[in-house]
Amino acid sequence: MKLKKLAHCIALIGIAGTAAAQQVDSGPMQRVEITGSSIKRVAQEGALPIQLITAEEIARAGITSTEQLVATLSANGTGADNMSSQQGFVGNVQNVHNNGAAGISLRGLGAGSTLVLLNGRRVSTHGLSGQAVDLNSIPLAAVQRVEVLTDGASAIYGTDAIGGVINFILKRNYEGLEASAAADVTQQKGGNIARASLIFGKGNLETDGYNFMTVLATDTFGKLTSADRDFANNGYQPARGLSPDTTGTPFGAQNARSGYAIGAAFRVPGDSTLYSRANLLAFQGKCDSIPKMTAYVTALWDAPQFGKACAYDYGADWTITQPVKHVNLVSRANIKFDKDTLGFVELVASRTKSQIGYTPLQVSDLTYPAGGAYYQDLSAYMPGVNPATGLKYFDNTKPIYFRWRCNDCGPRNEDTTSDAYRVLAGLEGSFGGKWDYKLGLSSSSSKGSTIMTDGYVYSDAFHKAMLTGIINPWLLPGQSQTPAAIALINSTKAPATPVYSGKTNLTELDGTVSGELFQLPAGALGAALGVDFRSDSYQFADDAAAGPIIQSPTAPPISKVTQNVSALFAELSVPIIKDLEAQLAVRHDHYSNFGGTTNPKVALRYQPSKQVLLRGSANSGFHAPDYLKLYSGTSTDVLNSAAADPELCPKHPGDPTYCGEKFTTKIGGNPGLQPEKSRQLSFGIVVSPADWIVASADFWRIKRSNVITVLSPNDVLANYAELKQYVIRNADGTINYIQGGYTNAAKDQTQGVDLSVAMNGKLAQGRWNATLQGSYTDSFKQQLLPISPMQELVGKFGVNDLYLRWKHNASFTYADGPWSTTLTQTFKSGYKDQVPAGTVPPGFNPDVASYTLYHLSASYKGIKNLTLTAGVKNLLNTAPPFSAHNVDDVAGAGWDSRVGDPRGRSVLFNVNYKFM
């Protein structure tokens, strides 16, 4: 096909990417269904802002998981949806018990607002969280192509399609036997990836009337720890604003408490500061004599009461890339009953095993007996009497009340197994010469379970063990626990213990009829009518045996809950005048637990010339509340960082009882939640000024209301004047607990422009093509509560998500005979860093730098049936940009796991062989 005609076709369908270099069959055009419409049409007639990614592109880039694939999408958000971000605690409580799962968040609206489809149909959400589809359950080795619709589509698909739709299209009619193996090995140790797959298919639909295909794939992601990377192994850089906020150290810290050695807050000679915690090494100026221990930087955290304590760089203990193993199976049987009728049965199944590695336990409320062999007498460092109580600041006749990080307990590990499947039976075909239909019945499920495997201890047994005085929580360099102490610690350890498990189920019956109703002066009036009936359920079990274990990651159980959904939708493709076409769609969904919602869509496509295509759409959307937000029980915890009582601290300035406490918190679900609603607008232009270039620009705007937000305890404190009713106080006025939870209170609006360019041509004896796919976010404004102002978030640090101004993925490919070489660049713009809670040091840089990576790969197809690919990922070995954020808010000490890839430079090898 001539290049000019090819470029024209691409302009019509609005797809940018390496599709610009693909050859199109010159035979009869077939009507196909494109993501975002239920009406089959010839491909050249479409006009949707769809990004197409082929299996060849995925393999050439060395992408081995669906999580890696979506990370390359410029329209994907920058949130805690990847598995590295879920390693430590992140401030987003919506990631609770999301172990082992990864998601996609188009436009940064959250994984629940992006619809994930497999061959155009839904699959179950993740069994543990029940909130969004786990990308690990998508069989990437069986994917033929991926279609990403960056426009609202609730009028077509119902809930979740506010940010857009990502549709994974699997291979359907494969003949032969094909095997592939890949390795992705880092230059530095840790984080290696291996992948293998086998595809077998027999029969040809056109000649044999049947096809059977099976795909089996497995991949393994190796463990990567903070200690393996220099940029992640130093959380103590106070001159740059980075320092750990903890006094739980391997050399124990003593706390003030009535009836113990330090009975109340204390002072030291010549110092008017009132202290609440003490560490012998801090008095001696030797905090750093213990590995990873440092002086507590009170100025950064505005916590002078901890000035006689030490800190611990616990972020350097984390596993920053989870060890993961995926096994995926796809099996599909197609039978062509006649030329117009195709029947099929499809099975998709997966198993994901992952492990999260946390820091060794920090245990509070410990008691060491007076007279014990390792008793730490601090009376010489805090002589004198407390004038308020008349008691000694340190009474060495009393036991010590302390907190300790038990490195001898070992790191905490949690293993998660997630199983998912979908069985689909369907019919599709045509009748009457111009009508198409499809009918499907599917059952899908996802279940997951998490087990604590190491590093955890039983609470009662551990506290009793400390009371014996045999264990030494104040080991100096060169010292170690006695065999008796090690045996005592080991006796308190919990064996492999189930923590929680969850399961989702989805049964769906759907059917669609589409075709031409009649002819209008400008062309045929296309129409589609469809129905969708779904029943889905969720249950979550919390294992009671984990309750007595210290820092067990338990969560409130949810008994099995079910919702039924019935939907009717219709769509028209209306040729108004020559070259001007309208898409009209409407869908009504009825939910058994909150009622109905109707969402329309109007889209226009106008092509005034062969070189120019104009398009636009306006639509509404909705996201049904997730089970977790509706039905989760109340969980009790404490604040991660000490906070001030906004009412009593001003009356008692400097008193740690009111100005530096980790208050008790309670958070739970809300059965009265209503759907989130959206209004969306987009318009764009696709141009082909010459036969070797296609470019597009699409403006988008999304406004959401009724957004479900979590009133976190910190939000309540920050908005105390308006939310004081959520601070529950004791009779004496002190805080008993802070109540948080889910509510339909927030709203947000975002807008920006997507840009794409595809170019190709000849160079010497070969051909080249270059592409760029970028997304510019002009604004993302959010209002937490109706009483709150709208806040602009683009380019600013956020605990839940980052809204970067610009992201792009660019590539250049040169092919000559059997050889092809691709250079890829990914770019993420910088943003404002989180500012330290206390005094900002002179060396603090408020700007986090931009992040650019280059990848180079080459493929060779000169040997029959064999394809060889080799490459280097992160060619320049670029480390993630430095960030001084609080590691309790976002995982990554000195770097942000939502932005950076911690693996560094790696070498990629891929071998693919077709046996027949």
Side-chain angles (χ1 to χ4, degrees):
M1 178 179 286
K2 293 182 179 180
L3 191 58
K4 184 174 181 179
K5 185 176 180 181
L6 175 60
H8 176 50
C9 292
I10 295 169
L12 287 173
I13 62 175
I15 296 176
T18 56
Q22 298 173 358
Q23 293 296 314
V24 179
D25 188 354
S26 59
M29 290 294 185
Q30 300 296 317
R31 293 198 303 271
V32 296
E33 183 176 326
I34 299 173
T35 303
S37 175
S38 297
I39 301 175
K40 284 190 173 184
R41 63 188 75 208
V42 176
Q44 286 94 321
E45 296 177 1
L48 297 170
I50 296 175
Q51 182 178 355
L52 174 68
I53 307 165
T54 66
E56 182 180 359
E57 293 173 298
I58 294 171
R60 190 167 59 231
I63 294 171
T64 55
S65 73
T66 313
E67 178 185 345
Q68 290 181 339
L69 173 64
V70 301
T72 67
L73 302 178
S74 61
N76 188 35
T78 312
D81 300 300
N82 64 74
M83 295 178 72
S84 290
S85 292
Q86 295 168 21
Q87 277 300 104
F89 173 84
V90 291
N92 187 353
V93 301
Q94 298 181 49
N95 286 332
V96 142
H97 50 77
N98 204 36
N99 297 18
I104 179 172
S105 173
L106 292 177
R107 307 301 185 205
L109 298 175
S113 291
T114 298
L115 180 59
V116 177
L117 300 177
L118 190 61
N119 282 343
R121 289 182 165 95
R122 293 175 179 266
V123 293
S124 287
T125 55
H126 185 230
L128 281 177
S129 71
Q131 299 180 88
V133 173
D134 176 18
L135 295 180
N136 292 317
S137 67
I138 303 296
L140 193 63
V143 168
Q144 181 69 37
R145 68 183 186 277
V146 181
E147 295 177 357
V148 184
L149 172 66
T150 54
D151 192 23
S154 287
I156 306 297
Y157 300 110
T159 186
D160 304 340
I162 293 177
V165 180
I166 181 167
N167 190 6
F168 296 89
I169 311 297
L170 304 183
K171 295 178 174 69
R172 300 183 59 176
N173 187 24
Y174 180 86
E175 287 186 274
L177 178 64
E178 180 177 337
S180 66
D184 186 347
V185 182
T186 60
Q187 177 179 311
Q188 299 164 283
K189 67 178 182 179
N192 294 332
I193 302 171
R195 176 185 174 187
S197 66
L198 189 67
I199 305 176
F200 171 76
K202 183 175 178 58
N204 183 284
L205 278 175
E206 299 304 321
T207 58
D208 302 322
Y210 77 92
N211 177 261
F212 173 78
M213 182 195 75
T214 295
V215 181
L216 180 63
T218 179
D219 54 65
T220 302
F221 292 72
K223 182 178 181 178
L224 180 63
T225 68
S226 294
D228 296 329
R229 297 294 182 266
D230 292 340
F231 65 83
N233 197 30
N234 183 8
Y236 181 72
Q237 302 181 57
R240 303 174 75 181
L242 177 64
S243 179
D245 178 24
T246 180
T247 59
T249 51
F251 193 96
Q254 300 189 29
N255 291 10
R257 186 169 184 176
S258 178
Y260 290 83
I262 304 176
F266 63 91
R267 289 186 170 90
V268 297
D271 188 346
S272 61
T273 305
L274 201 61
Y275 298 103
S276 62
R277 293 176 192 170
N279 192 302
L280 173 64
L281 296 182
F283 283 110
Q284 296 175 345
K286 297 180 179 179
C287 286
D288 57 0
S289 64
I290 307 293
K292 299 181 184 177
M293 275 181 55
T294 65
Y296 187 94
V297 186
T298 59
L300 281 180
W301 297 108
D302 193 23
Q305 67 274 15
F306 299 154
K308 297 303 177 183
C310 299
Y312 182 74
D313 186 8
Y314 54 99
D317 282 341
W318 274 342
T319 298
I320 55 179
T321 294
Q322 299 180 37
V324 181
K325 183 174 183 179
H326 303 136
V327 178
N328 295 93
L329 171 69
V330 176
S331 188
R332 182 181 175 102
N334 301 298
I335 299 178
K336 197 167 186 179
F337 296 107
D338 56 48
K339 66 182 182 66
D340 295 322
T341 307
L342 174 70
F344 62 90
V345 177
E346 180 183 273
L347 168 66
V348 179
S350 69
R351 165 164 284 192
T352 299
K353 289 191 172 183
S354 63
Q355 183 182 84
I356 289 182
Y358 293 109
T359 63
L361 284 168
Q362 176 189 198
V363 190
S364 303
D365 305 324
L366 295 173
T367 299
Y368 191 84
Y374 309 111
Y375 190 88
Q376 293 283 303
D377 187 350
L378 301 183
S379 57
Y381 296 97
M382 53 181 79
V385 174
N386 189 329
T389 63
L391 301 175
K392 294 179 179 179
Y393 280 131
F394 192 95
D395 187 345
N396 56 17
T397 66
K398 294 180 178 179
I400 293 172
Y401 183 70
F402 71 106
R403 63 179 59 207
W404 179 44
R405 187 171 297 273
C406 182
N407 283 353
D408 295 304
C409 296
R412 292 168 290 158
N413 291 326
E414 298 171 19
D415 290 0
T416 296
T417 300
S418 300
D419 294 319
Y421 77 87
R422 187 184 74 178
V423 178
L424 168 66
L427 286 173
E428 59 184 46
S430 61
F431 60 91
K434 57 181 181 180
W435 290 93
D436 301 298
Y437 72 91
K438 64 177 183 178
L439 179 68
L441 176 63
S442 64
S443 175
S444 61
S445 178
S446 173
K447 63 179 181 179
S449 60
T450 296
I451 298 175
M452 294 181 296
T453 55
D454 194 18
Y456 288 92
V457 299
Y458 287 110
S459 179
D460 289 346
F462 190 79
H463 281 81
K464 289 178 181 177
M466 299 306 301
L467 282 170
T468 66
I470 296 174
I471 300 170
N472 183 4
W474 297 287
L475 292 172
L476 291 169
Q479 297 179 336
S480 59
Q481 300 288 353
T482 65
I486 293 294
L488 188 56
I489 290 173
N490 289 339
S491 72
T492 69
K493 279 193 171 184
T497 305
V499 183
Y500 41 61
S501 60
K503 184 177 182 179
T504 60
N505 289 288
L506 171 64
T507 301
E508 183 174 22
L509 173 65
D510 67 88
T512 306
V513 176
S514 67
E516 297 178 358
L517 287 175
F518 49 80
Q519 288 289 324
L520 294 174
L525 176 67
L529 183 67
V531 294
D532 184 11
F533 302 100
R534 305 196 306 272
S535 178
D536 55 76
S537 64
Y538 175 61
Q539 59 187 31
F540 180 79
D542 179 49
D543 195 283
I549 298 174
I550 295 177
Q551 292 185 18
S552 166
T554 56
I558 300 176
S559 299
K560 185 175 181 179
V561 286
T562 302
Q563 69 178 6
N564 298 313
V565 184
S566 57
L568 176 66
F569 56 93
E571 181 184 351
L572 291 176
S573 176
V574 185
I576 301 172
I577 58 174
K578 183 181 178 181
D579 301 324
L580 176 61
E581 179 183 308
Q583 178 193 26
L584 307 176
V586 65
R587 178 178 173 122
H588 179 80
D589 293 80
H590 185 273
Y591 282 72
S592 58
N593 53 355
F594 63 77
T597 175
T598 300
N599 294 276
K601 178 173 184 176
V602 178
L604 293 174
R605 167 193 175 277
Y606 178 54
Q607 188 180 354
S609 70
K610 293 182 177 180
Q611 289 76 35
V612 178
L613 171 74
L614 303 175
R615 60 191 177 202
S617 71
N619 59 90
S620 68
F622 75 103
H623 170 59
D626 306 313
Y627 285 119
L628 177 65
K629 300 179 179 69
L630 285 167
Y631 303 116
S632 62
T634 298
S635 60
T636 302
D637 207 338
V638 296
L639 292 175
N640 275 336
S641 301
D645 183 329
E647 189 169 310
L648 296 183
C649 181
K651 299 177 182 178
H652 306 275
D655 190 331
T657 303
Y658 308 106
C659 303
E661 279 296 309
K662 292 188 175 183
F663 299 114
T664 299
T665 65
K666 293 185 179 182
I667 294 180
N670 180 0
L673 293 174
Q674 293 297 303
E676 299 175 338
K677 299 180 180 180
S678 69
R679 293 288 184 271
Q680 291 153 264
L681 173 69
S682 69
F683 55 85
I685 182 172
V686 184
V687 296
S688 180
D691 59 5
W692 55 271
I693 182 172
V694 180
S696 67
D698 288 276
F699 170 85
W700 46 267
R701 175 183 293 165
I702 305 171
K703 293 184 178 181
R704 292 193 302 174
S705 59
N706 227 32
V707 175
I708 299 170
T709 186
V710 181
L711 278 182
S712 75
N714 286 325
D715 292 331
V716 173
L717 291 178
N719 297 276
Y720 180 73
E722 297 84 5
L723 302 175
K724 61 176 61 179
Q725 67 271 26
Y726 295 104
V727 177
I728 312 304
R729 296 185 175 275
N730 298 308
D732 62 358
T734 57
I735 292 177
N736 185 340
Y737 65 91
I738 303 169
Q739 179 69 57
Y742 298 98
T743 182
N744 288 105
K747 69 178 181 180
D748 54 40
Q749 60 184 53
T750 181
Q751 65 183 36
V753 178
D754 290 336
L755 299 174
S756 68
V757 180
M759 300 179 288
N760 62 62
K762 290 183 178 180
L763 179 63
Q765 301 302 312
R767 299 196 64 84
W768 63 271
N769 74 72
T771 69
L772 181 142
Q773 194 80 32
S775 187
Y776 177 86
T777 304
D778 174 64
S779 175
F780 196 112
K781 293 181 178 179
Q782 185 178 73
Q783 182 184 49
L784 178 65
L785 299 166
I787 56 176
S788 308
M790 293 288 284
Q791 294 184 337
E792 179 60 70
L793 303 181
V794 172
K796 299 178 181 179
F797 178 87
V799 171
N800 294 335
D801 292 275
L802 290 172
Y803 300 96
L804 304 182
R805 183 73 67 186
W806 173 255
K807 297 169 64 177
H808 77 243
N809 187 47
S811 68
F812 180 87
T813 297
Y814 180 75
D816 184 1
W819 289 96
S820 67
T821 303
T822 299
L823 177 66
T824 301
Q825 180 201 63
T826 62
F827 176 85
K828 298 177 183 178
S829 61
Y831 58 95
K832 294 295 182 181
D833 204 357
Q834 185 181 35
V835 178
T839 303
V840 179
F844 173 74
N845 184 351
D847 297 311
V848 177
S850 61
Y851 186 51
T852 306
L853 297 180
Y854 293 91
H855 315 292
L856 180 66
S857 67
S859 294
Y860 178 71
K861 297 182 178 180
I863 302 174
K864 184 179 179 181
N865 297 331
L866 179 67
T867 301
L868 300 174
T869 301
V872 180
K873 298 170 75 173
N874 195 350
L875 190 63
L876 303 181
N877 199 25
T878 304
F882 176 82
S883 171
H885 67 262
N886 184 353
V887 73
D888 279 340
D889 290 337
V890 174
W895 68 289
D896 196 318
S897 57
R898 300 168 299 177
V899 174
D901 182 349
R903 297 180 69 243
R905 182 187 290 130
S906 66
V907 180
L908 165 73
F909 302 96
N910 194 334
V911 179
N912 181 277
Y913 186 77
K914 296 180 179 179
F915 292 90
M916 53 182 176

